[in-house]
Every structure is written in structure tokens, then in C-alpha cells.
Amino acid sequence: MTDSSSAPKPVANARKRIMAGMRPTGKLHVGHLLGALNTFVDLSRRHDCYFEVADLHALTTKFERSDEIAADTRTMVMGWLAAGLDPEQCTIYVQSRIPEISELYTLLSMVVPVSWLERVPTYKDQIGELGSEIATHGFLGYPVLQTVDIAIMRGQGVPVGQDQLPHLELSREIVRRFNHHYGTVLLEPEAILSETPYVPGTDGRKMSKSYDNGLMLAETDDETLTRIKTMYTDPTKIHKTDPGHPEACPVFFFQTAFNPSMAPDIAHRCRAGKLGCVEDKADMARHLNAALAPLRERLRAIAAKPRFVDEILADGTKKARATAQATLAQVKAAMGLSG
Ligand code: TRP
């Protein structure tokens, strides 16, 4: 008989500390759900998860509208809870309310060469997109702050989309360099790649608040249907009888996500010129609305008691802060700064 208790457990099943952050963008859309939140919920059932409202990160590009961040934080956390995050099972907290994060950021920044930060792909891309006004010291330090978020909570796994992989690789390099100087005090985090990294918006570009192309969680069924009716579809399919290309169509993307058992048939009828876009959109909207119904119900219940969110954030932040204080104390001791 084999003794299964002594067999090494596969790493994937061992309980790990997971850390993930999201900038407070206010209302959440289906892209957040498929790209991140569903993964957060799944991980929170199996691991020790820390989920952070990255409001300092929001300030890197939004310093002129800092007064919106508090309301956006509350709105976003309501979306997290509606999506199924259970505050009894995970720690939900606000970055700016943990001063130890800013302190470790100062310490860590001493060992990070500027050239490492300048070569992060999103750095130049974002400046190209948002303009040189955001080329601040704080914005350049974005990946250092993200490294602190993970390291201070002792995060081992970090759920990220494909676009965040360079940030995580940089985090590992920063941690290695820090440990090289001061001894092994920080953990090198690993990426947990999300399965649906790219969610298209109504215009076919990536779903994003800044493009105003989102299907929102906090919308009525009719509002969602109206948005879907304006959704971009294959421009070469003008009439129902024209052959479509579902693989490049956002309507089909959501059929795959929310009506998976029918997706192969839908693709077939679309290609064969037997399914028109108008009918396809109405059908997709029905499935999407049905899938979101329980979430929207929870959102209404949570919105009716706003103090609830404040309490969750106060409790979660208290717990996360204790973790941060312990890590910072170790770091300062390793650097010879304590006492
Ligand atoms: N940069 C991440 C994003 O834009 C947000 C973030 C902040 C984060 N801190 C983090 C993600 C720590 C993972 C781990 O989505």
C-alpha cells in the first residue's frame, strides 16, 4: 500500500500566499470580471489571498483628480464583493492606508537602477498614449511600488494578465538585487497567468474605462442590450447571408464566454451565412444578462448598505497592515536600520 500522506504534494495544490492589486477605476466592467475577478474568486477559495485597492498606483496617472479616488475605491470594492469575493476568506485592503508600503518603497527604490524602469514596455507606451505630463518620478517608479505591494505581503503567486508579465519579471529582478545586498529577506513572486487576458470592448478594442467601450456590471439588462446593439462586428458581413468571421468578432467572444455550449453551432451558422448579427447580438445579450443576474442582485444588496464596504476595508486594512509591519521590521533589521 502506498502512503499518500508522505508523498510530496504538487506545488499547485499547496496553499500559498497570493497578492493582487487593482487600481480603483470605479464601476467595473465584464473585462475586469473575465480578466481578473473570476480568477481572484477562484484563488480565494484555495489560497491565502490579499487583494489590494492600488490607489497610490491610480495617483501615478491621476494625481490631478485625486478627489475621485475615495468614491472609486468604494464602488470598485462593491463590484469585487458582488463578483463573489468573500471578506471572510480573503483580505481586502487599501494601499494608501498602509504607510509601511510607502516606507518600503523608499528603501527598495535605492537599489533599483533607473535604466531598468525606463525599459519597461508599458512606461514608454503609456507616455505615448497619455502624454508627457504623466512622465513623473512617481510614474517611473510604478513597478517598484508594485514590487513593494507584493513583497511586503509576502506574496508568492500573483495573478496577472499577459500585459503585466514584464512588471512581474522586473519585480523578481528587484527582489533578487535587494536580497543580494541585504540577505534573503524578500520572496521572489511567481506569475499566475490569467486564462482570459484579452477581453474586447464594444468597439473591438480592448475593453477599458478610458475607451468607454465597456459592458458594465452595474447596468440594467436593457442598458446592456442597448450597448451590445452598437457593438462592432465583422465589417465584411453586411447581410445575414454574408459569411462571417466569428474568431475576430467581439459578439462571438462573449458567446464563447457566456454561452459556451452553443458557441460551435453559432460559429458555424455565422460562417455559413445563416445567422445575422442582429439576432446574434440579442441572443448574446440574453446569455450575458442571465449570467450577470446573481452578481447584479448582490450588487444591489451591497449598495443598500454602504457602511458594509467601509467596515470590510477597515478590517482588511488592519490585518494587511500587521503583515506589512512584520515584513518592514525584518527588512529594516536586515539593513541595519532598526533600533
Ligand atoms: N499594475 C496593476 C494593474 O494595473 C495593479 C497592481 C498594483 C498590482 N499593485 C499590484 C497587480 C500588485 C498585481 C500585484 O492592473
Side-chain angles (χ1 to χ4, degrees):
M1 215 175 85
T2 52
D3 178 10
S4 61
S5 63
S6 66
K9 288 210 178 68
V11 174
N13 289 334
R15 194 171 164 87
K16 278 197 252 184
R17 172 70 52 82
I18 305 291
M19 192 276 147
M22 201 185 274
R23 280 170 291 167
T25 49
K27 289 190 176 170
L28 296 177
H29 51 58
V30 176
H32 293 117
L33 190 68
L34 298 178
L37 282 174
N38 284 345
T39 310
F40 287 11
V41 172
D42 180 48
L43 288 169
S44 70
R45 298 202 172 115
R46 294 178 286 124
H47 295 287
D48 176 20
C49 292
Y50 279 58
F51 296 119
E52 175 195 84
V53 178
D55 57 348
L56 296 175
H57 278 105
L59 278 177
T60 62
T61 54
K62 211 183 162 164
F63 55 89
E64 287 161 310
R65 282 168 292 145
S66 59
D67 54 328
E68 293 171 15
I69 288 178
D72 282 349
T73 293
R74 189 183 282 145
T75 309
M76 181 172 83
V77 172
M78 285 182 187
W80 285 7
L81 300 174
L85 281 188
D86 175 356
E88 302 283 319
Q89 284 195 48
C90 60
T91 307
I92 299 175
Y93 63 99
V94 181
Q95 186 184 33
S96 68
R97 296 188 205 162
I98 301 185
E100 288 75 13
I101 291 177
S102 296
E103 189 172 347
L104 185 58
Y105 175 69
T106 303
L107 299 177
L108 212 59
S109 72
M110 303 305 167
V111 304
V112 183
V114 173
S115 61
W116 286 12
L117 301 174
E118 283 171 337
R119 68 166 198 243
V120 173
T122 43
Y123 178 67
K124 288 220 165 60
D125 291 356
Q126 290 254 64
I127 288 172
E129 205 165 296
L130 301 170
S132 58
E133 313 84 82
I134 67 152
T136 62
H137 179 200
F139 183 65
L140 181 67
Y142 188 112
V144 184
L145 184 56
Q146 181 161 329
T147 304
V148 171
D149 287 342
I150 303 163
I152 206 163
M153 298 307 165
R154 308 216 150 275
Q156 297 167 285
V158 184
V160 287
Q162 194 87 37
D163 56 334
Q164 288 281 318
L165 279 180
H167 277 158
L168 210 80
E169 198 37 58
L170 183 58
S171 288
R172 293 166 60 84
E173 279 179 69
I174 293 173
V175 164
R176 277 200 292 273
R177 191 169 165 113
F178 194 84
N179 286 346
H180 171 75
H181 286 290
Y182 303 113
T184 309
V185 267
L186 301 177
L187 288 174
E188 257 185 69
E190 277 172 30
I192 301 172
L193 204 57
S194 132
E195 280 171 35
T196 318
Y198 186 93
V199 179
T202 49
D203 58 0
R205 292 187 290 172
K206 183 179 167 142
M207 193 179 285
S208 159
K209 185 185 184 184
S210 47
Y211 297 150
D212 190 25
N213 63 358
L215 299 172
M216 311 311 288
L217 302 185
E219 244 171 14
T220 64
D221 288 7
D222 283 345
E223 284 165 341
T224 300
L225 176 63
T226 305
R227 281 214 188 230
I228 290 171
K229 280 182 180 164
T230 69
M231 191 172 255
Y232 167 92
T233 51
D234 181 355
T236 66
K237 185 174 169 75
I238 296 160
H239 304 290
K240 174 176 172 176
T241 49
D242 295 333
H245 301 86
E247 60 286 345
C249 175
V251 181
F252 185 67
F253 174 89
F254 293 105
Q255 290 281 27
T256 313
F258 294 102
N259 186 15
S261 64
M262 291 303 288
D265 181 59
I266 290 164
H268 175 75
R269 286 189 296 132
C270 170
R271 285 197 189 96
K274 290 184 177 150
L275 175 65
C277 299
V278 175
E279 183 190 339
D280 187 21
K281 285 175 168 177
D283 179 55
M284 185 275 269
R286 247 190 331 273
H287 284 93
L288 176 68
N289 281 329
L292 293 183
L295 186 155
R296 286 174 167 164
E297 187 56 46
R298 281 196 293 272
L299 199 55
R300 272 190 292 275
I302 296 161
K305 36 177 187 170
R307 287 285 308 278
F308 181 56
V309 172
D310 295 342
E311 282 162 22
I312 287 164
L313 289 177
D315 286 356
T317 302
K318 196 170 159 204
K319 185 175 160 209
R321 188 166 181 198
T323 304
Q325 282 167 335
T327 307
L328 182 66
Q330 285 173 8
V331 168
K332 288 175 83 171
M335 293 176 79
L337 293 174
S338 47

